[in-house]
């Protein structure tokens, strides 16, 4: 299995059956991610070294404007795309097999969880996972301890309140909060 084949399968939203060749490859990728995040989280690193480790983790160049405060956790890493001037605060957990796209100037607060996989509802197929991407627009702010579930798109300039559980798409220029997250107000176009 090649990484490009795996990512194409996941990006199409196709299920991964437990015990399949694809599932075994996903486990391989998780072991690589664990090795890289152990380095990232195990000691102090200058910002340039954090970017180097994130480049290794994602397999994509990370812009010099990117900043992060570790620790950071992911069980794949290869399906994360990060824009320019993105900041990720400490303790975040990204389950990125289904794809995570973070737009320019997004701010991700402490302990945010981005989850892109669901398990099959049929208990006989519970080890099967179904991917769905999370897309975060530009200049989005996700508050501390928020959770974003598979398949959610967050529009440009939106704010996700601390502790929110986002189960549905969030329109641009809105503030959402609560469990499940609901619209609190609009904030208007800031550009």
């Amino acid at each position: 299995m090649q990484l490009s084949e795996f990512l194409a399968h996941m990006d199409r939203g196709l299920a991964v059956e437990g015990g399949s060749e694809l599932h075994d490859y996903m486990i391989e990728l998780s072991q690589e991610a664990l090795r890289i995040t152990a380095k990232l989280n195990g000691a102090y690193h200058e910002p340039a070294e954090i970017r180097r480790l994130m480049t290794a983790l994602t397999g994509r160049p990370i812009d010099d404007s990117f900043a992060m405060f570790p620790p950071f956790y992911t069980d794949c890493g290869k399906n994360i795309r990060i824009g320019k001037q993105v900041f990720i605060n400490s303790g975040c957990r990204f389950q990125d097999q289904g794809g995570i796209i973070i737009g320019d100037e997004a701010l991700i607060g402490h302990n945010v969880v981005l989850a892109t996989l669901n398990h099959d509802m049929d208990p006989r197929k519970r080890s099967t996972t179904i991917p769905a991407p999370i897309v975060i627009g530009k200049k989005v702010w996700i508050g501390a301890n928020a959770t974003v579930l598979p398949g959610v798109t967050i529009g440009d300039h939106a704010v996700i309140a601390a502790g929110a559980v986002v189960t549905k798409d969030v329109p641009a220029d809105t503030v959402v909060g609560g469990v499940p997250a609901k619209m609190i107000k609009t904030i208007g176009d800031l550009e």
Side-chain angles (χ1 to χ4, degrees), residues 58-139:
T58 64
R60 294 177 169 83
I62 298 295
D63 192 78
D64 286 344
S65 63
F66 171 79
M68 177 171 46
F69 292 164
F72 173 80
Y73 304 94
T74 185
D75 50 3
C76 181
K78 299 300 186 219
N79 213 1
I80 301 172
R81 294 170 185 88
I82 300 172
K84 295 178 180 179
Q85 296 181 320
V86 168
F87 174 68
I88 299 173
N89 220 322
S90 63
C92 290
R93 289 165 169 73
F94 289 11
Q95 180 193 51
D96 66 284
Q97 289 90 337
I100 295 172
I101 299 170
I102 303 173
D104 293 344
E105 301 181 57
L107 305 174
I108 313 294
H110 289 91
N111 301 315
V112 166
V113 174
L114 304 178
T116 66
L117 292 178
N118 277 317
H119 288 273
D120 197 299
M121 292 302 288
D122 182 341
R124 296 167 294 180
K125 299 181 192 175
R126 197 55 50 87
S127 64
T128 295
T129 55
I130 300 107
I134 292 172
V135 178
I136 299 168
K138 65 182 181 181
K139 297 185 180 180

Side-chain angles (χ1 to χ4, degrees), residues 161-179:
V165 176
V166 184
T167 62
K168 296 178 183 172
D169 289 354
V170 176
D173 300 308
T174 60
V175 178
V176 301
V179 180

Side-chain angles (χ1 to χ4, degrees), residues 42-58:
Y44 170 77
H45 300 287
E46 296 286 337
E49 179 65 6
I50 290 173
R51 288 189 296 274
R52 189 191 69 73
L53 288 166
M54 288 298 290
T55 294
L57 181 65
T58 64

